[in-house]
Amino acid sequence: MITKITKLARISGAIGVAAFSAALMLSASPAAYAGELTVYTAVEAEDLKKYAAKFNEDHPDITIKWVRDSTGIVTAKLLAEKDNPQADVIWGLAATSLLLMKSEGMLEGYAPKGVELLDSKFVDSSSPPSWVGMDAWVASVCYNTVEAGKAGLSPPKSWKDLLDPMYKGHLIMPNPNSSGTGFLDVSSWLQMFGEEGGWTYMDGLHENIARYTHSGSKPCKLAAAGEIPIGISFAFRGAKSKAKGAPLEIIVPSEGVGWDMEATAIVAGTDNAADAKTLVDWSITKKANEMYNAGYAVVAYPGVAKPVKFFPENLLEKMIDNDFEYAANNRKRILAEWQKRYDGKSDPK
Amino acid sequence: MVDLSLKTAAVVKVKPRAGRDAWIMRAFILVIGLYLVVTLAMPLYAMLSKSFNTYYFDLARYEVQINEDGDWGETIDVAALNAASNKYSRDQLRTSSDGRLSIVSMLENFSFRAKTLYRLRNVHASGSFLSGSELVDDTNWHEFTSNEFRRVYLKPVKTTGLDNFRQYFSNPSLFNSIFNSLFIAIVTTIITITLAFTFSYAIARSKMRFKGGFKVIAMAPILVPSLLPGIALVYLFGNQGMLKFLMGDQSIYGPIGIIAGSVFFTFPHAMIIIQTALSISDARLYEASDALGASKTKTFFTVTLPGARYGLISASFVVFNLVITDFGLPKVIGGQFNVLAVDIYKQVIGQQNFEMGAVVSVVLLVPALFAFAIDRIVQKKQVALLSARSVPYQPKRNRNFDRLMFSYAAIIAALIVGTLAICQYAALIKFWPYDLSLSLTNYDFDVMDGGGWGSFYNSLKLAALVAVIGTVAVFTGAYMVEKSQGMQFGRSLFQFLAMLPMAIPGMVLGLAYIFFFNSPNNPLNFIYGTMIILVICTVTHFYTVSHLTALTALKQMDREFESVSASLKQPFYKLFSQVTVPVCLPAILDISIYLFVNAMTTVSALIFLYSPDTTLASIAMLNMDDAGDIAPAAAMGMMIFYANVAARIIHHFLSKRIYSKTQAWRTR
Amino acid sequence: MGARESTPSQSAAPFLRVENLTKMFGTFTALKDISLDVYEGEFVCFLGPSGCGKTTFLRAIAGLDIQTAGVIRQAGKDISPLPPAERDFGIVFQSYALFPNLTVLRNVAYGLENAGKSKSDIKQRVDELLELVGLPDQGNKYPAQLSGGQQQRIALARALATSPGLLLLDEPLSALDAKVRTRLRHEIKALQAKLGITTIMVTHDQEEALTMADRIVVMDHGTIEQVGSPLEIYTEPATLFVADFIGEMNQLKAVSVGKNKLRIGDIEFSCQPRISSGQNGVATIRPEDVVAFEKSRKTSQNVIEVTIREMEFLGSFWRTILTSKKLSDQSITADFSINAVRRLSIEKDRRIRIELPTQALRFYDSQD
């Protein structure tokens, strides 16, 4: 019976699909042609135009079609399209996500021109490398001095400080299941405190967390807006909000901070490999790195980084020695554990 | 002579020959039926089958050799290795598509400092493991030092079964959402129905003033995305909210916020249905009750309530369904309170666990289908009541009662207007709460997530396309089904398919579309990521109500028009274009405005389907809120509101004009 | 089948020939093996109670509900499988089915468009038709602005516009009030006679059928009970159903005692030759056929003494209820003229003698 239905569905499907494709084919837009690249990215929306403009200064003949979304969504999209890739290039997605793509065989190995000039920490270990890093993106704590003052809080100095009961209900962090920033926090704690210590730490932290947000930048924006005194987010966002006039202080916990890098890769199966290589070549140039430096204190090209306004100064030395492979290969397990421990606790009591 | 021929004539069945009209109509039914099969049945099938896709680590696909002291030992398959160490049970080997299993976890006494060497190979070319992040899927032996070997991970293989469901129901953090969703939906239903009933009662049974104005205001929530009230609630009751003090220790982020917002956006839906139910009750019953000397209260409980019962039941299930399937609102204000619709999003977007997303979708389908089925049954009874001849009730003036009802309606209206006003106000504030000066910076969408102003224009384009294409498809389909002859089975199937979308939550439809249209084997996959798929999905999502509206209008047409036209040897399309469409124009306009407004406000189905070229205003709103840009989200929400108001006004005047032009025959 | 075919005056081949028509709706048989000939220029009425299959029959002829089996020939051509658009007929429905958004002019012109006719030709034909139905200056009105009777005439004009060979009328008058109905009966009949168009009308109203039809087809339970002229149907009902359905009819339990003899109670009567073969059955006679016995009459055949149980004055005549022990206390309804009542001093409770004339007394098998 079931097989019959399946068969029927297939047959009718084939007919329907054929008829429809015939009907719709006329109205469909042609596939990507030379000179146009579909680029998937998680780079902040406000920077995209600048990136494209800078790139077009050197390569005016290549048009970039951005697909921009948060890290989780772009990753999901890419994985969903695994067998039917829509993207030509990924430019500006978390390395942990790119590692996942790589393990699915979705990336095209390519050593861009000048890759040897980059800090080796920023280049995939395979040869040719599957991805090349652009800049680092570092966790930190956004602390709203006004609201904290109202609530009678004192600023935390370390991650462990955040366990203090006085912060109960005054803390927000991103949900690692939906936010790359959230995941880098969790994976950094597990690396710094060890698996056991890390979970114990999070058990304690969970008691103080008011809620988990879907996106990584939201905690800092909420802190900036005074919705919450303390938001665990990333430094770049904090610096931007502070520049807008929010009463924020960006705190770098003393134990060290997790980080992830934004990286670039060519998607295997792109039908525009030449342009894709041009873009990736350009993405590691000094000029590009200078551009990244506008928002990121740490970039792949040594010697380029200049201090970013409002960016915490000691950030570089506090970045932990991040094991991306550990993070990528254990991601599923960590997230499942996290969900089991903390996501279910939000039920009505 | 007749008797004679009777006996000799062989009984031969007459095979009616279909005329040209019949063929054209059949072709149309086939095309639109096919449309529903391709855009509804097949995606749902794809999703259902996805929910049965499970992943597990098939240890028998790997072989390992260990060299502890210079000699390679015998070849062991990894399943045996696991059996020896007794590390993982069958259940523990189940995972999802991106699960990874460390191979050394199965080795007893493993130390990465040991000098031991390891070899690993895939038994089949289909098996694969990772060395570090490198994918290995050949069948050669690969050699590793122990330090390298600890970085080897196995990848899962795909199979089919009920494991996803088993896993879902054994994970309290997942299935608790069922109770959360039901809780929210039930509480909201009770509150909304109570409020809407009182409001409708005030409209139908009192002689209060400004009835028309109240009615218009009460309809306003339909014109905004469901997440807009969520944003208003943040500004009102959030930690920096203007009315925060009213909340006490309670947080708006959670069930309270979801319920409050849900009541806002479901109110008009409930009101329309209940008002219809109240307006058809028979005045003679009230006269009889009066004559029998029944008290007002008694009349209310013995006449009013029973008379409106079908309307109340129907409205309840509509509200229930709207709430349980809504995604935008709980996403914005749900905090840590998990509900099913958001779970689907989290599973798919957050964890890339498409299979579990499909499982949650199936779970969400159950209450939605159930509520839908009950609503349909009740609606049929309500229709029977409607067609019965009755004398409409005329309210009498009663000062105190009218004043009471007026106050109540005024409060409701004020709450609705207030909610919208808060959003507009918030959108104009520079930096809440620290810089309260007015500015338009929040309208600078182009520097924010979600696609900028382009997404607003995309939404307008989508809404216009959906309104035009959807109306043509729906009305033509309804006409063919209603007026064509024969093909009974085909027509019943079509009817079923046309009713189905109402029971399918938007999230589920959207996810089903990913599975179906993004499959590389699907010749239609070129529409993935284009405006076409958004149009198709939206038309399908809102097909049912449009279809029913069209059917109601068509049923009011004389059944014999087609016969007369055929007898006069005129093709059916002449009748269709010269009579059917002009006569049904008011209904056709209603369908198009319904589709337009919903295309502007819908989030759930399209959240999975939009692309950078086709970002939409409602989704931009969600994404801006998600990124913490709440004020711009409010600004975008109000843009949607104004666009819909404009569309409604245009619709109003268009209707009026068309009415005076083509419906002249209605006035005697 | 008990139907009796009356011989039509026409000797030509029938215009419409229906052979062994059967129509099933699922397992329900709406028409059972029906055969009928209709001749050119005839006005035929399908008459029967609701649910008898008359409308189904009409719709089969129109091709709107095509029969399950059987053959329909129109003008010699087998039209059985053809869709309505490929047949030659005009139709008027009970609801008139006028297109509400089109003016009267455009309604009537509807069938004339796309037929290669010039605009002026169409205009001329429409004017002609409106003239024909007596509504020459209503062309620019919408249907809703006309009275029911006017709408009916417009529907007729529209159906006639294409000069079809066959006009089908489906209960065309039943939505109208009594007065208009009577007037329209004559108008339609006159129009039909004038145009000479072969017409089939479905009705459940016997008066309508009797006054308008050349021939009546009486139907019941999906079969034809009788086909005949109105007079034949009235005076010589072929079956008990027809006898009962048309006009008033006394039904008395009776036993057949010979080809021309029957017995009611204790008394033997001579009657019309019986059609059926059964023993026990029903004797029928119309109330107006009962004759109050006058002394001057010599015959004693079919005469019986009865008591007048009730009398009711109905304007132009008296209706009486008569009983007799000899008829096993069965009562007979009889209508007597005012004149006869006066002349014979007919009063309640009196005994009189009546005659049940041989030519009016018939015997039928019981229906059940």
Side-chain angles (χ1 to χ4, degrees):
Chain A
M1 184 65 187
I2 289 180
T3 50
K4 204 174 165 195
I5 292 171
T6 319
K7 218 172 167 185
L8 214 80
R10 274 205 201 114
I11 293 167
S12 57
I15 299 167
V17 158
F20 256 80
S21 27
L24 289 171
M25 205 66 91
L26 299 165
S27 56
S29 55
Y33 47 87
E36 186 174 282
L37 283 174
T38 302
V39 179
Y40 279 33
T41 183
V43 167
E44 296 272 313
E46 51 193 282
D47 290 333
L48 285 184
K49 279 193 180 152
K50 193 173 69 188
Y51 280 29
K54 285 269 183 195
F55 171 66
N56 285 141
E57 282 174 13
D58 297 336
H59 300 281
D61 47 333
I62 299 176
T63 318
I64 294 179
K65 272 180 66 191
W66 292 111
V67 177
R68 140 91 192 132
D69 226 310
S70 65
T71 307
I73 296 179
V74 175
T75 310
K77 235 182 158 67
L78 281 161
L79 284 173
E81 295 163 2
K82 186 163 97 179
D83 299 322
N84 177 31
Q86 308 283 316
D88 297 308
V89 175
I90 302 166
W91 185 13
L93 186 65
T96 31
S97 291
L98 284 174
L99 276 161
L100 201 60
M101 313 285 147
K102 185 184 171 190
S103 71
E104 296 288 351
M106 290 169 64
L107 302 182
E108 182 78 48
Y110 172 63
K113 281 178 212 138
V115 69
E116 63 284 352
L117 299 173
L118 299 184
D119 183 343
S120 65
K121 212 166 40 172
F122 280 83
V123 182
D124 180 32
S125 53
S126 302
S127 175
S130 291
W131 50 265
V132 185
M134 299 152 55
D135 47 55
W137 157 45
V138 193
S140 58
V141 176
C142 293
Y143 185 81
N144 185 316
T145 49
V146 176
E147 299 305 319
K150 280 189 207 159
L153 306 178
S154 52
K157 293 195 165 42
S158 65
W159 291 118
K160 294 266 160 103
D161 281 357
L162 290 174
L163 298 178
D164 191 310
M166 82 172 157
Y167 297 117
K168 192 174 175 68
H170 294 307
L171 210 55
I172 278 187
M173 75 169 278
N175 185 332
N177 268 314
S178 56
S179 151
T181 309
F183 181 69
L184 75 83
D185 289 328
V186 171
S187 95
S188 74
W189 293 328
L190 291 173
Q191 291 180 52
M192 282 187 294
F193 307 142
E195 286 254 345
E196 213 167 300
W199 289 115
T200 318
Y201 173 73
M202 283 183 265
D203 287 346
L205 192 66
H206 180 68
E207 294 301 314
N208 286 347
I209 299 265
R211 60 195 164 97
Y212 298 95
T213 63
H214 292 276
S215 96
S217 53
K218 196 171 187 179
C220 201
K221 287 194 183 172
L222 289 178
E227 265 301 287
I228 199 86
I230 307 172
I232 300 174
S233 185
F234 54 97
F236 171 52
R237 186 68 252 171
K240 285 208 162 179
S241 292
K242 194 167 177 178
K244 275 192 181 172
L248 279 188
E249 196 167 319
I250 301 158
I251 294 171
V252 182
S254 56
E255 296 97 329
V257 284
W259 59 284
D260 201 338
M261 60 183 132
E262 290 191 303
T264 306
I266 296 174
V267 178
T270 169
D271 45 13
N272 198 354
D275 286 346
K277 285 177 180 169
T278 310
L279 176 61
V280 174
D281 286 346
W282 188 86
S283 77
I284 65 160
T285 56
K286 200 172 171 197
K287 182 173 176 180
N289 275 268
E290 279 163 354
M291 177 176 82
Y292 305 148
N293 190 223
Y296 294 82
V298 189
V299 294
Y301 203 102
V304 164
K306 285 192 201 86
V308 173
K309 199 180 172 197
F310 293 124
F311 219 79
E313 284 155 15
N314 60 342
L315 199 63
L316 263 175
E317 59 212 61
K318 290 293 181 193
M319 280 164 62
I320 64 163
D321 186 12
N322 201 356
D323 184 346
F324 288 110
E325 226 167 77
Y326 165 85
N329 284 335
N330 290 287
R331 184 169 173 277
K332 175 77 206 168
R333 184 178 57 81
I334 294 171
L335 290 179
E337 180 70 23
W338 191 92
Q339 190 188 37
K340 204 165 89 194
R341 282 174 184 252
Y342 313 122
D343 221 11
K345 278 179 126 183
S346 47
D347 312 322
K349 281 169 191 136
Chain B
M1 85 193 193
V2 175
D3 288 328
L4 251 176
S5 62
L6 197 155
K7 272 159 202 147
T8 51
V11 178
V12 182
K13 274 207 158 189
V14 176
K15 268 192 101 173
R17 216 176 75 202
R20 191 187 45 172
D21 278 8
W23 283 117
I24 299 175
M25 290 175 94
R26 281 174 198 188
F28 262 107
I29 294 192
L30 201 70
V31 167
I32 297 179
L34 220 58
Y35 170 89
L36 285 174
V37 167
V38 172
T39 64
L40 184 68
M42 291 171 64
L44 286 175
Y45 176 79
M47 191 205 67
L48 207 61
S49 56
K50 193 82 173 178
S51 73
F52 294 110
N53 279 354
T54 57
Y55 288 85
Y56 76 107
F57 297 108
D58 186 1
L59 302 181
R61 284 171 183 247
Y62 308 96
E63 286 176 345
V64 71
Q65 290 182 343
I66 303 175
N67 181 342
E68 273 184 81
D69 38 20
D71 289 327
W72 287 105
E74 56 186 304
T75 307
I76 325 166
D77 86 36
V78 176
L81 205 66
N82 181 44
S85 64
N86 211 5
K87 173 79 179 169
Y88 297 113
S89 68
R90 241 184 93 77
D91 270 351
Q92 284 168 315
L93 290 173
R94 303 195 187 291
T95 180
S96 59
S97 60
D98 57 347
R100 302 286 182 264
L101 184 71
S102 159
I103 188 154
V104 300
S105 62
M106 283 173 282
L107 295 171
E108 287 171 290
N109 312 320
F110 174 81
S111 160
F112 67 91
R113 291 193 181 82
K115 293 272 180 266
T116 318
L117 294 177
Y118 298 88
R119 273 182 182 167
L120 183 68
R121 79 174 194 107
N122 292 309
V123 178
H124 311 289
S126 60
S128 58
F129 59 87
L130 302 175
S131 159
S133 59
E134 217 66 52
L135 183 69
V136 181
D137 54 4
D138 53 32
T139 53
N140 303 329
W141 283 106
H142 294 263
E143 200 171 314
F144 304 94
T145 65
S146 48
N147 192 29
E148 286 162 350
F149 203 48
R150 73 174 170 141
R151 296 170 56 231
V152 170
Y153 289 86
L154 306 182
K155 284 186 66 183
V157 294
K158 190 165 106 177
T159 172
T160 308
L162 285 169
D163 279 342
N164 294 327
F165 288 90
R166 208 172 297 145
Q167 203 190 333
Y168 179 85
F169 285 104
S170 63
N171 186 343
S173 69
L174 285 175
F175 77 74
N176 260 328
S177 299
I178 300 177
F179 304 112
N180 289 352
S181 280
L182 288 175
F183 171 74
I184 293 290
I186 291 169
V187 173
T188 305
T189 303
I190 294 168
I191 298 175
T192 306
I193 295 300
T194 312
L195 292 178
F197 178 79
T198 317
F199 192 86
S200 310
Y201 191 78
I203 299 261
R205 296 296 147 81
S206 81
K207 280 239 158 200
M208 68 179 181
R209 305 176 67 186
F210 305 121
K211 268 189 198 175
F214 286 142
K215 266 202 256 183
V216 169
I217 291 171
M219 295 301 295
I222 273 187
L223 306 180
V224 297
S226 63
L227 53 148
L228 191 93
I231 291 174
L233 288 168
V234 169
Y235 281 104
L236 284 171
F237 302 108
N239 294 336
Q240 294 297 327
M242 308 167 191
L243 305 174
K244 164 78 176 133
F245 57 93
L246 290 176
M247 290 296 291
D249 287 344
Q250 297 295 320
S251 166
I252 193 72
Y253 299 101
I256 299 177
I258 304 179
I259 290 170
S262 296
V263 169
F264 176 86
F265 89 84
T266 56
F267 184 81
H269 297 271
M271 193 201 70
I272 296 168
I273 298 170
I274 297 174
Q275 220 195 312
T276 313
L278 280 176
S279 63
I280 58 165
S281 46
D282 199 332
R284 288 170 297 189
L285 289 172
Y286 289 86
E287 282 158 15
S289 187
D290 252 7
L292 292 168
S295 71
K296 282 231 148 155
T297 332
K298 189 158 183 202
T299 306
F300 179 82
F301 283 105
T302 53
V303 180
T304 310
L305 269 186
R309 69 186 182 280
Y310 292 132
L312 286 173
I313 296 171
S314 175
S316 301
F317 283 103
V318 166
V319 170
F320 178 89
N321 218 344
L322 282 171
V323 176
I324 205 162
T325 59
D326 182 46
F327 159 71
L329 188 63
K331 175 85 167 50
V332 166
I333 200 140
Q336 290 317 102
F337 193 79
N338 292 336
V339 295
L340 290 171
V342 178
D343 278 356
I344 298 177
Y345 179 80
K346 278 209 268 186
Q347 287 296 336
V348 173
I349 302 297
Q351 308 189 30
Q352 292 91 53
N353 192 342
F354 293 96
E355 291 74 26
M356 197 50 84
V359 169
V360 185
S361 298
V362 173
V363 171
L364 179 57
L365 259 179
V366 174
L369 275 173
F370 178 73
F372 166 77
I374 293 194
D375 177 47
R376 285 310 306 160
I377 295 166
V378 172
Q379 284 272 356
K380 276 198 182 141
K381 297 197 170 174
Q382 159 106 6
V383 169
L385 256 185
L386 248 169
S387 44
R389 283 274 161 89
S390 61
V391 182
Y393 178 84
Q394 290 297 335
K396 294 187 200 74
R397 199 166 283 288
N398 175 337
R399 280 202 132 195
N400 287 333
F401 177 70
D402 290 349
R403 220 174 262 168
L404 184 73
M405 287 293 116
F406 178 83
S407 322
Y408 173 77
I411 291 171
I412 295 280
L415 284 175
I416 291 171
V417 173
T419 305
L420 295 172
I422 286 292
C423 285
Q424 185 54 74
Y425 176 65
L428 293 171
I429 294 292
K430 200 169 188 181
F431 197 97
W432 181 267
Y434 302 111
D435 183 351
L436 296 184
S437 59
L438 297 179
S439 95
L440 287 174
T441 47
N442 291 325
Y443 282 85
D444 198 1
F445 298 135
D446 286 341
V447 300
M448 287 168 224
D449 275 354
W453 277 101
S455 58
F456 180 67
Y457 303 127
N458 278 340
S459 269
L460 288 178
K461 193 170 142 195
L462 173 74
L465 282 171
V466 165
V468 173
I469 295 173
T471 307
V472 170
V474 168
F475 191 79
T476 315
Y479 177 80
M480 299 302 161
V481 164
E482 178 66 19
K483 302 295 182 188
S484 70
Q485 303 248 317
M487 295 215 305
Q488 201 48 51
F489 174 76
R491 281 156 67 200
S492 311
L493 185 73
F494 185 97
Q495 278 288 13
F496 173 76
L497 285 174
M499 295 311 295
L500 197 57
M502 197 163 174
I504 309 296
M507 299 292 289
V508 177
L509 193 66
L511 191 57
Y513 269 43
I514 300 190
F515 295 145
F516 182 66
F517 286 105
N518 194 36
S519 151
N521 302 323
N522 188 332
L524 283 176
N525 89 22
F526 65 89
I527 71 166
Y528 191 72
T530 65
M531 188 59 106
I532 300 171
I533 198 171
L534 301 187
V535 173
I536 289 176
C537 182
T538 311
V539 169
T540 308
H541 189 185
F542 298 107
Y543 199 96
T544 308
V545 173
S546 318
H547 180 72
L548 289 174
T549 310
L551 273 192
T552 310
L554 285 167
K555 278 189 197 295
Q556 286 165 357
M557 306 266 296
D558 195 313
R559 289 189 309 124
E560 308 296 3
F561 284 167
E562 277 67 26
S563 309
V564 167
S565 183
S567 78
L568 294 171
K569 308 206 171 13
Q570 300 297 321
F572 83 94
Y573 45 82
K574 179 178 171 188
L575 179 74
F576 183 70
S577 61
Q578 295 197 354
V579 179
T580 314
V581 168
V583 170
C584 292
L585 253 186
I588 291 174
L589 279 175
D590 285 351
I591 294 172
S592 55
I593 188 74
Y594 167 82
L595 288 173
F596 184 94
V597 166
N598 275 298
M600 283 302 290
T601 56
T602 188
V603 171
S604 53
L606 304 182
I607 185 91
F608 293 127
L609 299 176
Y610 74 95
S611 75
D613 292 334
T614 56
T615 52
L616 299 172
S618 50
I619 292 171
M621 212 181 142
L622 193 79
N623 284 336
M624 287 192 280
D625 172 82
D626 207 16
D629 297 322
I630 305 178
M636 187 63 99
M638 292 312 288
M639 288 309 299
I640 294 175
F641 175 67
Y642 296 132
N644 277 334
V645 168
R648 278 244 115 149
I649 291 172
I650 292 170
H651 169 254
H652 179 76
F653 285 108
L654 212 63
S655 293
K656 250 188 156 173
R657 251 194 78 180
I658 286 173
Y659 217 86
S660 63
K661 260 202 164 163
T662 67
Q663 313 278 307
W665 51 272
R666 282 192 199 269
T667 49
R668 294 198 88 164
Chain C
M1 186 154 57
R4 217 161 53 106
E5 181 87 351
S6 79
T7 323
S9 50
Q10 294 92 334
S11 53
F15 176 69
L16 189 76
R17 163 160 277 190
V18 177
E19 294 166 21
N20 311 100
L21 203 69
T22 296
K23 174 72 185 174
M24 314 276 295
F25 290 111
T27 55
F28 172 73
T29 310
L31 294 176
K32 281 178 219 153
D33 208 14
I34 281 188
S35 297
L36 178 73
D37 285 347
V38 175
Y39 293 87
E40 185 131 25
E42 258 194 309
F43 193 122
V44 173
C45 269
F46 294 171
L47 176 66
S50 63
C52 71
K54 56 189 189 295
T55 298
T56 308
F57 192 9
L58 188 85
R59 291 179 72 86
I61 292 171
L64 296 170
D65 281 320
I66 288 180
Q67 67 272 23
T68 314
V71 177
I72 301 176
R73 277 177 226 284
Q74 185 173 346
K77 187 177 146 208
D78 183 0
I79 57 164
S80 309
L82 298 184
E86 292 173 33
R87 300 186 182 201
D88 176 25
F89 71 96
I91 191 164
V92 175
F93 290 101
Q94 181 180 350
S95 65
Y96 326 135
L98 290 175
F99 306 133
N101 62 318
L102 304 183
T103 59
V104 165
L105 276 176
R106 292 211 48 211
N107 261 287
V108 177
Y110 189 84
L112 299 169
E113 295 158 2
N114 314 339
K117 282 201 171 83
S118 73
K119 274 213 169 128
S120 60
D121 280 358
I122 294 177
K123 176 81 175 94
Q124 199 187 333
R125 174 77 177 138
V126 171
D127 286 346
E128 199 181 298
L129 286 159
L130 290 178
E131 189 78 43
L132 192 68
V133 297
L135 294 168
D137 39 0
Q138 308 283 351
N140 289 320
K141 287 190 176 168
Y142 287 102
Q145 293 165 310
L146 302 177
S147 71
Q150 287 174 322
Q151 290 185 36
Q152 187 56 271
R153 281 188 271 183
I154 298 301
L156 194 61
R158 182 178 63 180
L160 291 171
T162 51
S163 311
L166 180 64
L167 179 64
L168 303 176
L169 307 171
D170 185 5
E171 306 250 7
L173 303 174
S174 52
L176 299 168
D177 58 45
K179 250 191 175 161
V180 182
R181 197 153 55 197
T182 323
R183 206 180 64 225
L184 265 178
R185 261 185 216 160
H186 296 294
E187 283 184 20
I188 292 176
K189 176 67 191 167
L191 193 65
Q192 189 268 340
K194 184 174 160 194
L195 297 174
I197 183 172
T198 314
T199 302
I200 299 176
M201 179 171 91
V202 162
T203 181
H204 64 271
D205 182 339
Q206 43 165 307
E207 211 178 298
E208 212 167 281
L210 291 171
T211 52
M212 294 173 80
D214 294 328
R215 278 196 301 152
I216 296 175
V217 177
V218 184
M219 296 179 66
D220 187 37
H221 290 114
T223 56
I224 293 180
E225 294 279 329
Q226 185 174 7
V227 180
S229 70
L231 194 65
E232 281 171 330
I233 297 278
Y234 191 81
T235 56
E236 300 165 34
T239 66
L240 183 57
F241 170 79
V242 178
D244 184 38
F245 185 71
I246 312 279
E248 301 272 345
M249 189 66 95
N250 282 298
Q251 292 188 32
L252 303 160
K253 249 189 231 156
V255 181
S256 175
V257 288
K259 189 166 174 9
N260 289 323
K261 290 240 178 291
L262 58 78
R263 194 170 65 227
I264 307 172
D266 304 333
I267 306 175
E268 230 172 66
F269 294 90
S270 71
C271 64
Q272 289 295 303
R274 68 172 215 221
I275 311 157
S276 49
S277 53
Q279 265 287 290
N280 295 309
V282 178
T284 64
I285 185 163
R286 295 203 183 275
E288 69 267 25
D289 286 339
V290 176
V291 181
F293 198 78
E294 295 192 47
K295 289 194 176 108
S296 58
R297 292 185 69 159
K298 296 279 174 267
T299 179
S300 60
Q301 201 189 8
N302 285 16
V303 174
I304 175 175
E305 195 172 85
V306 292
T307 309
I308 298 167
R309 284 281 167 240
E310 275 170 47
M311 282 185 74
E312 192 181 5
F313 182 55
L314 290 177
S316 51
F317 62 89
W318 284 88
R319 171 152 294 179
T320 61
I321 310 259
L322 316 168
T323 57
S324 162
K325 278 235 165 63
K326 290 186 174 161
L327 297 176
S328 326
D329 279 334
Q330 296 187 79
S331 56
I332 298 176
T333 305
D335 296 343
F336 299 124
S337 67
I338 299 169
N339 198 346
V341 167
R342 201 183 309 130
R343 204 170 60 242
L344 300 170
S345 319
I346 296 174
E347 283 168 31
K348 194 165 182 275
D349 294 333
R350 274 194 59 172
R351 293 175 68 81
I352 57 164
R353 296 174 69 178
I354 55 165
E355 182 192 355
L356 307 179
T358 307
Q359 70 274 14
L361 190 63
R362 287 164 191 279
F363 178 83
Y364 300 95
D365 283 352
S366 300
Q367 262 181 324
D368 33 29

